[in-house]
Amino acid sequence: MALLEVEDLAVTFQRKGTAPVHAVDGVSFTVAEGQVVGLVGESGCGKSVTSLALMGLLAKRGVKVGGKALFDGNDLLTMPGSTLRDMRGSEMAMIFQDPLSSLNPVIPIGLQVTEVLKRHRGMKGEPAEKEAADLLDRVGIPDPRRRLKEYPHQLSGGMRQRALIAMAVACRPRLLIADEPTTALDVTIQAQILELLKELVAQQGTALIMITHDLGVVAGLCDEINVMYAGRVVEGAARRPLFASPTHPYSVGLLGSIPRLDAPRGEKLKPIPGSVRDNIAWADGCAFAPRCAHRTDECLDGPPALVQTYTGHAYRCVNPVTGDEVEAVTAAATLPAPSIVDATTDSDGEA
Amino acid sequence: MSAKTDRIDRLAELTARKDEGGHGLWYEAFRRLRRNPLAMTGAVIILLFVLIAILAPWLAPHDPAAQTWLGEIRGAEGFIPGPRSGNWLGVDGLGRDELSRLIIGSRQSLLVGVVATLLGFTAGAILGGLSGAFLGMFGKAGRWVDSILMRFNDMALAVPSLLLAISVATILGQGLVTVMIAVGVTQIPVFARLLRGSMLAQSHSDYVLASTALGVRKRRIVLNHILPNSMSPVLVQATLSLATAIIEAAGLSFLGLGGANAANPEWGVMLADSQQYLATNLRLAVYPAVAIIITALGFTLLGEAMREALDPKLRK
């Protein structure tokens, strides 16, 4: 059984006087121990809201959360607040996008790390200090004893993110959610952080949900990938099939928009036309239809059903992209971005 | 070769010295303050003012209440002598040495300013801190408590501060303590509002979300994370309030609520006394006025510079 089973997760923001916003609309996926699952999509597709809903970090007022999220058989969404608080940090933890603002600027790193140890493992004094130093050492921060006394603004961006990762894994959580952990970092540091996350997953058997808009990150790290659009998963597959044969026009567009090293000089990037705001309600048809080059009249007949193929590929499209059309863009997908750690080797055969 | 090893040794030494650990927000802010000429101007003014106030009895050339030499120096009716060798700033309408009165007067201004601001700061911070803590810790019930506290606070804010001070002074009677309390009370709602607002803003910050995601308890988040981060605007306000408090204290004394007697001069009282000579001896009004302005300016300069130094947006 998978560690986390998300079933029909729905998050609706309601405010008096305005139409409710369906930020997440029937999202289902599973994460097993030691597995890395990617949630991919552009800003506003609901990937961050999904993670906050799982952690129980959404505001109570004006938010309706539906569906199920079974963590080891217990539903995170209906769990009493105190149980959930005890689980946060010990059973599941989260890494955020901006490492500077996610650390308290006025207290030293050491206190922030030991705080977690104190809360969940009852450690204090010298043993807690030592454990904190060990943790920093484990995530690759040199001279950890000295760093413990320093303040966030004295650390480099990469080191801050390492410190946050150290805090997140301090109690060896079984589930780790990383919400765009590399967005605020430069490319070389990105690769290092991804490598670190990969190691932690391998060593500790942690389940990792990787939330990102960077397909390069996904290609280097994830086992399973869910592409989200307007609050729904529009395509889900293992890494290889997704990069080799993307089916949903949105996935194809995402892959096609990645800059390529082997592109002819002067060739323009191919963005997906329009913006994420140009969508229609899922009830009226495919939300991506207004931006889709593959649109047919059927697209507006109602919400497209999720199609499962025998290979485990799932997509939500009435007029999927097939064969030759994909050929052109997948060439790009094999060499996504310079931040890839091992995507090139992984997908060589598929090019 | 030895030069080279020397340099390596020195490098090693420098690296070793760095081991002292981190520098906090306040250390960095202080360093920035030291490099800011305006802040230093303010600090020097304040330092001078404090020194003068402390050393006043030894600095004052004359007894501020003595008017024994009135007969000698005062010639034609209504003439008040200006600066002369014995009295550098001349004498006031009763023949008392103006400089001595200014110097002694600084003590009361400083005392009233500091005590009143401390009072306002403490009471305001407790009120605002409670409000913010309730809001952050106790959900719906906390919001209720916060609402009630803040509505009372809003009422207090709506009353003009001088009017509030006069009312307090009327209730408590004249005197130095009255002025302190009166000025202090008018500051309370300002501090309360500021701290609560600051805490509210901090509670939406990323590091609070991050700590919540790590399971840190609400009480700990409020006390260890939100509160320390909310203090800097309040401390800046305290510095700026010192300036306002000094002006307000002078205002209350000017209106005759200060209870300053002849032996215990005060800048506001001196200003009030000088009114009757305004047409003929403007300088008697100018001296205390300038003294008030300069001290207030000193605190304002330092306060503004502190605000800049503590602003996280300007921090590298």
Side-chain angles (χ1 to χ4, degrees):
Chain A
M1 195 180 83
L3 177 69
L4 179 74
E5 288 178 32
V6 179
E7 233 174 89
D8 267 332
L9 179 72
V11 180
T12 311
F13 293 104
Q14 283 169 318
R15 257 175 68 196
K16 255 183 207 156
T18 55
V21 178
H22 302 283
V24 178
D25 196 355
V27 167
S28 305
F29 61 94
T30 62
V31 194
E33 279 177 6
Q35 193 187 28
V36 184
V37 171
L39 290 183
V40 186
E42 62 198 301
S43 312
C45 72
K47 54 196 197 302
S48 290
V49 174
T50 304
S51 66
L52 291 175
L54 292 179
M55 294 288 290
L57 291 174
L58 288 171
K60 300 278 176 298
R61 284 197 289 182
V63 182
K64 229 177 90 189
V65 182
K68 261 191 252 176
L70 300 179
F71 182 88
D72 220 6
N74 302 311
D75 193 354
L76 293 171
L77 305 179
T78 54
M79 201 172 266
S82 57
T83 322
L84 197 59
R85 263 199 294 284
D86 287 337
M87 283 179 67
R88 277 188 223 130
S90 62
E91 297 280 321
M92 52 186 195
M94 193 163 169
I95 302 164
F96 291 89
Q97 182 173 350
D98 183 358
L100 180 57
S101 63
S102 298
L103 286 164
N104 186 340
V106 305
I107 58 179
I109 302 290
L111 273 178
Q112 306 191 39
V113 182
T114 48
E115 190 172 59
V116 187
L117 295 171
K118 198 173 166 186
R119 166 70 169 90
H120 294 293
R121 287 165 65 179
M123 300 171 82
K124 48 184 149 183
E126 178 53 30
E129 289 266 315
K130 198 180 164 301
E131 177 69 19
D134 282 352
L135 277 167
L136 291 196
D137 192 42
R138 208 179 307 157
V139 295
I141 296 182
D143 202 357
R145 281 277 169 176
R146 190 174 112 203
R147 296 297 177 197
L148 283 178
K149 287 187 216 131
E150 292 192 339
Y151 292 82
H153 68 273
Q154 292 176 294
L155 271 58
S156 68
M159 252 192 271
R160 284 181 207 130
Q161 192 58 290
R162 282 171 196 270
L164 277 169
I165 293 175
M167 288 159 68
V169 300
C171 304
R172 294 185 169 260
R174 297 160 69 195
L175 173 69
L176 199 57
I177 302 178
D179 188 357
E180 309 211 13
T182 55
T183 310
L185 306 172
D186 68 65
V187 174
T188 42
I189 308 295
Q190 277 188 13
Q192 291 172 15
I193 294 291
L194 292 177
E195 202 53 42
L196 173 66
L197 286 174
K198 214 191 248 182
E199 266 174 43
L200 287 170
V201 169
Q203 281 170 14
Q204 309 187 353
T206 314
L208 177 65
I209 299 179
M210 187 77 193
I211 293 169
T212 182
H213 59 252
D214 186 346
L215 281 167
V217 170
V218 168
L221 194 68
C222 297
D223 305 314
E224 296 268 340
I225 295 153
N226 292 297
V227 181
M228 287 182 73
Y229 190 81
R232 286 195 184 188
V233 175
V234 291
E235 180 160 7
R239 171 172 52 178
R240 271 161 200 271
L242 188 92
F243 279 96
S245 54
T247 316
H248 196 281
Y250 181 59
S251 316
V252 176
L254 280 181
L255 288 170
S257 64
I258 296 171
R260 296 169 51 176
L261 278 179
D262 60 344
R265 275 178 80 89
E267 195 192 56
K268 286 189 178 152
L269 292 175
K270 297 187 210 81
I272 302 174
S275 86
V276 79
R277 285 190 188 170
D278 307 327
N279 61 14
I280 53 175
W282 279 107
D284 300 334
C286 174
F288 185 61
R291 301 171 67 187
C292 185
H294 256 249
R295 184 179 52 227
T296 63
D297 289 343
E298 279 173 73
C299 293
L300 301 175
D301 282 351
L306 196 67
V307 182
Q308 293 271 6
T309 68
Y310 63 94
T311 53
H313 210 116
Y315 57 88
R316 204 183 281 280
C317 184
V318 290
N319 186 21
V321 185
T322 47
D324 303 338
E325 293 168 283
V326 179
E327 204 64 27
V329 278
T330 41
T334 58
L335 260 182
S339 65
I340 310 300
V341 186
D342 59 356
T344 32
T345 48
D346 267 354
S347 29
D348 263 352
E350 292 143 14
Chain B
M1 188 204 126
S2 78
K4 202 171 184 182
T5 40
D6 269 3
R7 207 181 312 149
I8 291 172
D9 281 349
R10 208 174 321 137
L11 259 176
E13 194 188 317
L14 282 176
T15 329
R17 209 178 298 160
K18 268 193 178 167
D19 268 331
E20 288 152 6
H23 302 310
L25 176 74
W26 289 100
Y27 179 90
E28 297 284 329
F30 181 68
R31 259 192 20 199
R32 252 198 304 281
L33 272 188
R34 241 181 11 201
R35 273 186 261 132
N36 183 342
L38 281 181
M40 284 302 101
T41 314
V44 167
I45 293 174
I46 294 166
L47 193 72
L48 267 179
F49 168 58
V50 171
L51 277 181
I52 290 175
I54 293 171
L55 302 174
W58 295 279
L59 284 178
H62 296 283
D63 178 352
Q67 29 173 258
T68 42
W69 60 98
L70 182 67
E72 310 162 25
I73 58 175
R74 197 160 175 173
E77 196 65 31
F79 170 71
I80 303 168
R84 52 200 281 266
S85 68
N87 317 91
W88 291 357
L89 294 181
V91 296
D92 71 359
L94 298 174
R96 298 172 297 196
D97 182 45
E98 188 75 6
L99 181 63
S100 305
R101 292 180 66 76
L102 271 185
I103 291 174
I104 301 286
S106 66
R107 311 191 96 186
Q108 195 166 356
S109 292
L110 180 69
L111 192 68
V112 172
V114 170
V115 174
T117 304
L118 267 179
L119 177 74
F121 174 83
T122 317
I126 290 173
L127 192 65
L130 270 180
S131 211
F134 267 101
L135 195 61
M137 280 193 268
F138 299 113
K140 202 168 181 184
R143 274 202 296 279
W144 264 98
V145 174
D146 170 66
S147 281
I148 293 167
L149 284 177
M150 280 302 123
R151 290 302 82 75
F152 275 110
N153 204 49
D154 290 346
M155 281 186 239
L157 264 180
V159 181
S161 64
L162 200 59
L163 194 64
L164 187 62
I166 292 173
S167 325
V168 174
T170 317
I171 297 166
L172 297 175
Q174 287 186 357
L176 191 60
V177 179
T178 302
V179 176
M180 291 176 189
I181 294 175
V183 175
V185 165
T186 61
Q187 311 269 18
I188 293 174
V190 180
F191 282 110
R193 259 270 161 223
L194 195 63
L195 182 59
R196 176 200 175 259
S198 181
M199 286 177 78
L200 200 61
Q202 292 293 334
S203 69
H204 295 297
S205 62
D206 284 356
Y207 63 84
V208 169
L209 186 67
S211 325
T212 313
L214 288 168
V216 180
R217 289 180 201 284
K218 273 184 185 171
R219 184 161 36 105
R220 218 181 141 80
I221 290 179
V222 169
L223 295 180
N224 286 24
H225 294 282
I226 296 181
L227 199 57
N229 275 295
S230 312
M231 284 317 278
S232 58
V234 184
L235 287 167
V236 170
Q237 175 63 32
T239 323
L240 296 173
S241 281
L242 275 167
T244 328
I246 288 171
I247 294 172
E248 275 189 12
L252 287 179
S253 304
F254 178 88
L255 294 172
L257 297 163
N261 59 34
N264 212 0
E266 206 273 347
W267 293 346
V269 179
M270 290 170 71
L271 210 49
D273 287 346
S274 71
Q275 269 188 119
Q276 48 182 312
Y277 310 111
L278 219 47
T280 53
N281 290 287
L282 191 62
R283 62 185 170 81
L284 289 183
V286 171
Y287 295 141
V290 169
I292 293 170
I293 291 169
I294 290 180
T295 11
L297 184 71
F299 284 112
T300 311
L301 283 179
L302 188 69
E304 288 288 350
M306 263 172 72
R307 193 212 303 277
E308 266 174 44
L310 286 166
D311 191 338
K313 272 177 240 125
L314 300 171
R315 210 184 317 143
K316 231 186 73 187

